[in-house]
Amino acid sequence: MNFNQIRLFLFLIFAFSSFSCSHELEPKYRIVFLQCCHDEWRDVMNSEMKRELAFHPEFKLEIIESYSETEQQIEQVRAIAKEDIDLLIITPNEAKPLTAAIEEIYKSGVPVIFVDRKTDSGQYTAFIGADNYEIGKTTGKFISSQFRDRGNIIELELEMTSSPATERHRGFKDAVADAPNLKIVESVEIKDGLTDINNYLPRILKEHPETNIVFAHTDFLAVTAYEVAQKVEKAKSLFFVGIDALPVSKGMQQVKERILDASLLYPTGGAEAIQTAVKILKKQPFKKENKLLTNVITAENVDIMLSQIEKIKEQQVDIERQVYRINDLNKTYSSQRNRLYFMSALFIGVVVLGTFLFFLLQEKQQSNIVLAQQNDAINRQKDEIEKVSEVARQATEDKMRFYSYISHEFKTPLSLILTPTEDLIERKAYNVNESKQVLELIKKNANRLLKLVDQVLDLRKIDAGKIELNADFYDLVSFSKEIVDDFKFKAKNANIDLQFICPFKELPYEFDAEKLDKVLFNILSNAFKYTPNGGFIHVSLMKNINNVEIKISDNGVGMSEIDRENAFEMFYRANKNVSLGTGLGLALSREFVHLHKGEISVESKKDSGTSFIISLPLLLNDSRNQVADAPVFDHEIETEKVEKSELRPLESDISLVIIEDNAELLEFLNAKFSKLYNVYLAESAEEGWDKILNFVPDLIISDVMLPKQDGFELTQKVKQDFRTSHIPVILLTAKGKIESQIEGTKAGADAYMGKPFNQLLLEEKVKNLIENRDRMRRRFSNEITNPGNVQSSERKFLLDFELLIEKYLNDSTLSVEKLSAELGMSRVQLYRKITAITNHNVNDYIAEYKIKKAKSLLADASKNISEIAYELGFNNPSYFTTFFKQKTNKTPSEWRNT
């Protein structure tokens, strides 16, 4: 090989290397985004799209803005339709004018994604955006909750030609309609922002001086309204609410500065739009309707939101930096790989260039080492990001679970406040003693709510690190004994052996009396709650070299192993139906003990009692002997248990079974219904099922959240058992979500009412269900031998019953006892079942069946009257003739001859 050949060869090598290093893959997909407007919210949307595209280099995004000009956007749509694009993302400036143009693109086969807004057509591929109706409704509910359903509102609307404006207005209007004392004094459509507000708002405030709330469709409008109101010295008396809650300019910052009182988070959906576009173009599954969630931003949570957003921005910048670095490394890697392939081929063919290829190979190996190190660093950073994201996700889940549980805990006391209150309001006459009992019930449950709120506030202070010990030296012995003594009257009423055991007369100790009082009172209250009458509760106070130990022991129901392990977890549920206390007390007790540098533990075994042990450190070097008088705390202890009474009016033949694990609510329902019906009470599904089988009632009212077996399972059991399937069931529950209502309906419930419920409505539902069942009985009373006319749930039972009668038709000893035994029922259950379905008793039903069968047999002329009588189980043909004439007013012979 001569010099010229070598020079040409080297030129080709370097030319190929340059091409390998500089060549980049062209984007595979072209996406066009037609943006309707230009504002800060849209800038955030555009930024989210660009950040998301950093993970998809094969996609190219072009953003075209129309600056709120509808005609210009229509022209843009038509121009894009003539170009070669893979997908169109669009935010329509107005709904109706753009419908036809966008439909044309969609029909041509180009996928169309709407972001934030839609047109009037349903022809699109996907929609990403907030539920503007729900945002408007959430705003109305928020304002209603802040002002207790009272207030006068000015609504500043966006131009009503856009779908967000109309939906926000409709949702807000529907929410306000639910609050009778909340009123929209005027709604103003803002077409020219600052000018319109300057023109309209002072006039409206002057004409309606009672106005105390301004709701604007955007934060910009809300801030502008604030500035105008400030000029007329009205801003301080107004409550300003906006929508968008952007972390820049007008939005969260104004909430933080108290210019706005609240703002509804209006997510842009930029990242979600790109994610959906990627799924569509890559033929992956996607959702057509993607509704984004909102949240109310107030001064209480704005700092947290801004902090989280800032953290996300920092993480996003770091992710983008790593993506760019990965792209650079991939380019370097691709270039080095191509060079290696090319030089390896030359090394085999050309010995002359062997030395050059050797050095190149060494360089490649070194690059791979560097690249591997960099990849390891990137993977470590990725793992850290995933850990941070998981922590944030878990924190969000814990917060949502907390809100869900605390809402559930509020609903039963609220039911025992609202339902009796509504009952008092509806009364035309008042009985002093009865009214006093109802008011005492309301007061008791209001105090329970107050205690629950205090516990939540204490936990919030602990979580924020704002709670401190207010400790002093007290006598721990006398302090503990006084708390135990407060329970003596309750122990006496329940015949419980309550003892305080301590080997010394006094023990000076430094502690926070208020917090330790709450700990001991809470644990003792739980001990009484789970200890049966005739049991024992012993409180002992001991000390050793290192610590002081307070032990509260009982012989109550105890805990399983998993319950014991989770006893101090906030809102831990031993099973899906029962919570430990309120779900807050033990968690709060643990935090208070930890503030004292102590520990709290539990020893328990199912059905063998429970012991709580509080261990506090003993400060041996402290020589102070002076102790202060411990403060006295007011303990509201319920000393009387609600006694169940089953009142049965002598003249009523209608019976109810009511199942509810809250004794006070159970007694309240008993008091209301026992005036009209025979009422049987139960506190568990198991006890209720026994009473249902024993009494076969006309209707069942059951709570959903019951110990062990819940109301859904009980309803399903009632509807699947042929002995009880005819009985209507009404479910009461604190679970108000539609999923729970669907579950109750699937189980077979005839009615479903959420707590707190309206007592009058419940009474009407009971009355209507009983009347409907009575009308059905009357309807079928004349057709009892035709099961085809009976509803499907009872048809099989009647068919089986008639087959059984047919089986023993010629048996002269056929009796109700024999039939009930064959069906696996008691005689009473069979009587009640047949009567409930047909309005006839069992003997009448058998008689009617025999008459129907006799008529059929008389149609056969080959059989004589005696044969037919024996075939129907009659020992004497003459008795058959008498029986037949009593039922038909004709003898068998007369019937045959007609």
Side-chain angles (χ1 to χ4, degrees):
M1 181 178 288
N2 58 33
F3 177 75
N4 289 331
Q5 289 174 321
I6 293 175
R7 187 170 61 179
L8 177 60
F9 197 76
L10 291 174
F11 173 78
L12 294 173
I13 292 172
F14 285 111
F16 179 82
S17 299
S18 299
F19 173 79
S20 300
C21 293
S22 62
H23 178 66
E24 293 183 10
L25 291 175
E26 290 294 324
K28 185 177 179 181
Y29 302 100
R30 180 190 177 200
I31 302 173
V32 174
F33 176 33
L34 296 183
Q35 179 66 278
C36 69
C37 323
H38 183 84
D39 52 41
E40 292 176 340
W41 190 82
R42 305 288 168 184
D43 290 341
V44 173
M45 179 189 293
N46 297 345
S47 299
E48 288 184 1
M49 288 186 172
K50 292 175 182 177
R51 284 200 298 269
E52 186 64 25
L53 279 170
F55 298 100
H56 306 284
E58 69 275 28
F59 290 83
K60 178 184 178 183
L61 176 67
E62 299 174 22
I63 301 177
I64 304 173
E65 296 184 349
S66 62
Y67 301 98
S68 302
E69 294 292 332
T70 301
E71 290 300 325
Q72 182 177 348
Q73 193 173 41
I74 292 173
E75 292 301 320
Q76 291 170 350
V77 172
R78 289 173 177 167
I80 289 298
K82 299 175 182 178
E83 298 179 12
D84 183 19
I85 67 171
D86 297 292
L87 185 141
L88 173 64
I89 303 176
I90 184 169
T91 300
N93 191 51
E94 291 184 276
K96 291 183 179 180
L98 282 152
T99 300
I102 296 174
E103 280 185 346
E104 185 178 343
I105 286 186
Y106 179 82
K107 290 176 181 178
S108 70
V110 177
V112 175
I113 298 177
F114 286 136
V115 180
D116 182 40
R117 303 178 179 180
K118 294 182 180 179
T119 66
D120 291 344
S121 171
Q123 296 188 9
Y124 58 90
T125 309
F127 169 76
I128 293 94
D131 188 335
N132 281 285
Y133 173 84
E134 192 60 33
I135 287 178
K137 193 167 185 179
T138 300
T139 306
K141 290 182 177 179
F142 169 72
I143 292 174
S144 176
S145 68
Q146 293 296 305
F147 288 86
R148 298 184 179 179
D149 295 342
R150 293 179 178 273
N152 298 283
I153 308 167
I154 296 174
E155 181 183 12
L156 303 179
E157 305 171 339
L158 290 169
E159 290 188 63
M160 298 305 284
T161 55
S162 67
S163 58
T166 58
E167 290 298 311
R168 290 177 187 180
H169 171 72
R170 187 166 63 87
F172 183 70
K173 186 177 180 182
D174 288 348
V176 170
D178 291 336
N181 295 316
L182 199 64
K183 182 174 67 175
I184 301 174
V185 299
E186 192 163 339
S187 296
V188 182
E189 183 179 3
I190 305 301
K191 298 182 178 179
D192 191 12
L194 183 60
T195 302
D196 286 348
I197 296 176
N198 271 307
N199 291 338
Y200 297 132
L201 188 58
R203 173 188 62 78
I204 298 171
L205 291 174
K206 186 176 182 181
E207 293 177 359
H208 300 280
E210 74 277 13
T211 301
N212 58 342
I213 305 163
V214 176
F215 164 53
H217 280 204
T218 68
D219 289 339
F220 171 79
L221 296 180
V223 173
T224 304
Y226 173 87
E227 293 168 351
V228 173
Q230 200 172 35
K231 291 178 183 178
V232 297
E233 299 183 350
K234 291 283 188 178
K236 291 184 179 180
S237 63
L238 296 174
F239 188 88
F240 291 88
V241 181
I243 296 176
D244 281 346
L246 289 178
V248 295
S249 188
K250 293 181 175 61
M252 291 189 189
Q253 190 61 34
Q254 274 61 40
V255 176
K256 183 176 181 179
E257 294 172 2
R258 302 300 176 99
I259 294 173
L260 298 183
D261 295 280
S263 178
L264 273 292
L265 181 64
Y266 190 60
T268 67
E272 290 82 357
I274 296 301
Q275 293 167 1
T276 303
V278 170
K279 291 178 180 178
I280 292 171
L281 294 177
K282 289 189 175 182
K283 310 298 182 184
Q284 296 174 352
F286 68 96
K287 291 174 62 178
K288 183 172 182 178
E289 298 294 332
N290 300 269
K291 294 298 178 83
L292 307 177
L293 301 177
T294 186
N295 197 2
V296 180
I297 306 301
T298 63
E300 284 75 19
N301 63 5
V302 67
D303 287 334
I304 296 174
M305 294 297 294
L306 286 171
S307 170
Q308 290 177 343
I309 290 170
E310 190 61 32
K311 185 65 178 177
I312 291 171
K313 285 182 179 179
E314 292 174 1
Q315 292 176 347
Q316 186 63 42
V317 169
D318 189 57
I319 290 171
E320 290 176 0
R321 188 186 303 117
Q322 297 304 324
V323 169
Y324 292 140
R325 183 60 179 159
I326 290 171
N327 290 336
D328 290 338
L329 292 174
N330 284 335
K331 291 176 184 177
T332 302
Y333 176 80
S334 177
S335 172
Q336 298 297 331
R337 182 184 58 189
N338 290 334
R339 286 182 181 180
L340 177 61
Y341 291 159
F342 186 69
M343 297 306 294
S344 297
L346 292 176
F347 180 80
I348 297 174
V350 185
V351 178
V352 177
L353 299 177
T355 303
F356 176 75
L357 289 175
F358 174 75
F359 287 110
L360 185 62
L361 180 60
Q362 292 296 314
E363 181 183 353
K364 174 62 177 69
Q365 291 174 342
Q366 186 61 35
S367 297
N368 281 342
I369 293 172
V370 173
L371 183 61
Q373 293 172 346
Q374 292 172 338
N375 281 336
D376 289 341
I378 291 170
N379 288 332
R380 286 194 297 271
Q381 292 172 346
K382 178 183 176 184
D383 292 340
E384 288 298 321
I385 292 172
E386 289 178 349
K387 289 179 182 178
V388 172
S389 298
E390 178 61 24
V391 170
R393 184 192 66 78
Q394 187 61 45
T396 301
E397 287 184 359
D398 290 343
K399 181 171 69 173
M400 295 307 295
R401 184 167 57 251
F402 174 83
Y403 288 137
S404 175
Y405 284 145
I406 200 70
S407 298
H408 176 76
E409 292 296 333
F410 273 29
K411 284 191 175 181
T412 296
L414 281 173
S415 294
L416 288 166
I417 295 172
L418 292 177
T419 303
T421 302
E422 290 173 354
D423 182 62
L424 281 177
I425 293 171
E426 293 294 330
R427 290 183 185 178
K428 296 180 180 179
Y430 293 88
N431 178 284
V432 175
N433 292 332
E434 187 177 355
S435 298
K436 183 179 179 181
Q437 291 176 358
V438 172
L439 291 174
E440 287 176 350
L441 176 64
I442 293 171
K443 178 186 176 183
K444 184 185 294 184
N445 283 278
N447 286 329
R448 288 175 182 168
L449 280 179
L450 182 60
K451 180 181 177 183
L452 185 60
V453 170
D454 288 341
Q455 289 177 331
V456 172
L457 292 177
D458 284 341
L459 280 173
R460 179 68 185 90
K461 290 177 183 177
I462 292 173
D463 186 54
K466 295 182 179 179
I467 194 165
E468 298 179 354
L469 285 179
N470 184 20
D472 202 348
F473 267 82
Y474 305 107
D475 178 13
L476 187 58
V477 175
S478 61
F479 175 81
S480 303
K481 188 175 185 301
E482 285 179 5
I483 297 174
V484 174
D485 287 345
D486 284 346
F487 285 88
K488 280 188 174 180
F489 186 64
K490 184 178 180 68
K492 182 179 179 181
N493 286 348
N495 194 26
I496 289 176
D497 176 24
L498 177 64
Q499 295 186 29
F500 177 72
I501 304 167
C502 182
F504 32 84
K505 292 185 177 180
E506 64 176 19
L507 174 62
Y509 190 78
E510 187 178 17
F511 61 93
D512 187 322
E514 179 185 5
K515 294 177 178 58
L516 193 58
D517 175 84
K518 289 181 179 180
V519 174
L520 295 178
F521 182 77
N522 178 69
I523 297 175
L524 274 170
S525 297
N526 277 350
F528 274 92
K529 182 177 180 180
Y530 296 110
T531 301
N533 291 354
F536 72 80
I537 298 175
H538 293 170
V539 181
S540 62
L541 175 60
M542 301 292 176
K543 70 174 181 177
N544 54 36
I545 297 176
N546 298 318
N547 56 50
V548 176
E549 184 178 281
I550 304 173
K551 186 174 184 180
I552 300 99
S553 302
D554 63 63
N555 64 338
V557 297
M559 305 179 190
S560 65
E561 183 177 351
I562 188 170
D563 297 343
R564 186 176 66 252
E565 292 174 356
N566 294 277
F568 299 102
E569 295 299 321
M570 192 181 303
F571 285 107
Y572 166 72
R573 289 179 175 266
N575 57 59
K576 65 181 179 180
N577 301 319
V578 180
S579 61
L580 293 174
T582 64
L584 286 173
L586 291 178
L588 190 61
S589 298
R590 178 179 61 180
E591 297 299 330
F592 284 163
V593 171
H594 286 175
L595 283 173
H596 285 83
K597 308 300 182 185
E599 294 294 334
I600 183 171
S601 59
V602 60
E603 297 174 354
S604 183
K605 190 175 181 181
K606 195 69 174 174
D607 301 320
S608 299
T610 301
S611 295
F612 282 90
I613 300 97
I614 301 168
S615 180
L616 301 173
L618 188 61
L619 305 176
L620 297 178
N621 295 328
D622 202 315
S623 60
R624 283 180 287 180
N625 295 320
Q626 295 296 324
V627 296
D629 291 332
V632 178
F633 299 98
D634 183 19
H635 297 140
E636 289 198 12
I637 301 174
E638 297 177 13
T639 57
E640 295 182 4
K641 293 186 178 179
V642 178
E643 297 294 334
K644 292 188 295 182
S645 58
E646 297 181 353
L647 306 176
R648 305 180 188 176
L650 298 176
E651 297 180 358
S652 176
D653 59 352
I654 300 174
S655 60
L656 309 181
V657 168
I658 303 178
I659 307 166
E660 167 63 57
D661 63 337
N662 184 286
E664 291 175 342
L665 182 55
L666 184 64
E667 180 59 22
F668 177 79
L669 292 172
N670 180 41
K672 301 305 296 182
F673 285 110
S674 59
K675 298 174 183 178
L676 299 174
Y677 311 109
N678 292 321
V679 178
Y680 305 99
L681 306 179
E683 293 184 351
S684 68
E686 292 74 19
E687 182 185 356
W689 177 244
D690 290 338
K691 293 198 174 184
I692 291 167
L693 290 181
N694 287 337
F695 301 109
V696 191
D698 294 277
L699 186 136
I700 300 167
I701 300 175
S702 175
D703 187 16
V704 170
M705 302 295 287
L706 295 170
K708 298 181 181 178
Q709 188 181 84
D710 63 24
F712 294 142
E713 295 170 348
L714 175 64
T715 302
Q716 194 170 22
K717 191 173 183 180
V718 167
K719 295 300 181 179
Q720 289 178 351
D721 194 300
F722 69 90
R723 296 171 293 180
T724 58
S725 58
H726 63 284
I727 305 174
V729 178
I730 298 177
L731 290 178
L732 306 177
T733 182
K735 289 183 173 182
K737 291 186 178 180
I738 189 65
E739 293 85 355
S740 299
Q741 297 186 34
I742 292 172
E743 186 177 355
T745 303
K746 286 183 177 178
D750 297 85
Y752 193 100
M753 294 186 66
K755 293 180 180 178
F757 57 85
N758 182 281
Q759 176 64 26
L760 184 59
L761 177 59
L762 177 60
E763 290 174 6
E764 287 301 316
K765 282 185 178 288
V766 170
K767 180 180 176 183
N768 288 338
L769 284 172
I770 291 174
E771 287 179 352
N772 288 339
R773 176 62 62 176
D774 189 54
R775 279 194 292 270
M776 185 193 77
R777 285 200 300 262
R778 291 196 301 269
R779 175 187 171 191
F780 299 133
S781 63
N782 296 323
E783 302 172 346
I784 58 173
T785 56
N786 186 5
N789 293 321
V790 183
Q791 60 184 12
S792 58
S793 59
E794 314 301 343
R795 189 177 302 145
K796 184 178 183 301
F797 172 76
L798 288 182
L799 287 173
D800 291 342
F801 185 61
E802 290 195 356
L803 288 174
L804 193 61
I805 296 173
E806 184 72 30
K807 177 181 177 182
Y808 294 105
L809 191 62
N810 60 357
D811 187 352
S812 61
T813 64
L814 178 62
S815 64
V816 178
E817 288 76 7
K818 189 169 187 176
L819 291 174
S820 61
E822 285 280 342
L823 290 169
M825 303 171 68
S826 69
R827 184 175 181 275
V828 173
Q829 287 173 338
L830 181 59
Y831 260 109
R832 293 192 182 218
K833 179 79 174 179
I834 294 296
T835 303
I837 299 174
T838 67
N839 209 29
H840 285 68
N841 62 40
V842 181
N843 290 323
D844 288 343
Y845 193 97
I846 296 171
E848 290 295 334
Y849 186 84
K850 287 190 174 185
I851 288 296
K852 179 184 175 183
K853 187 71 174 179
K855 290 177 181 178
S856 175
L857 294 173
L858 287 169
D860 185 358
S862 63
K863 293 185 177 182
N864 58 43
I865 304 299
S866 296
E867 289 176 334
I868 294 173
Y870 293 130
E871 193 169 337
L872 293 174
F874 291 93
N875 291 329
N876 191 332
S878 63
Y879 177 65
F880 166 65
T881 300
T882 303
F883 170 79
F884 191 87
K885 187 170 184 179
Q886 286 176 347
K887 297 295 183 179
T888 65
N889 293 323
K890 292 182 180 180
T891 65
S893 299
E894 291 172 344
W895 178 272
R896 172 175 280 179
N897 295 329
T898 56

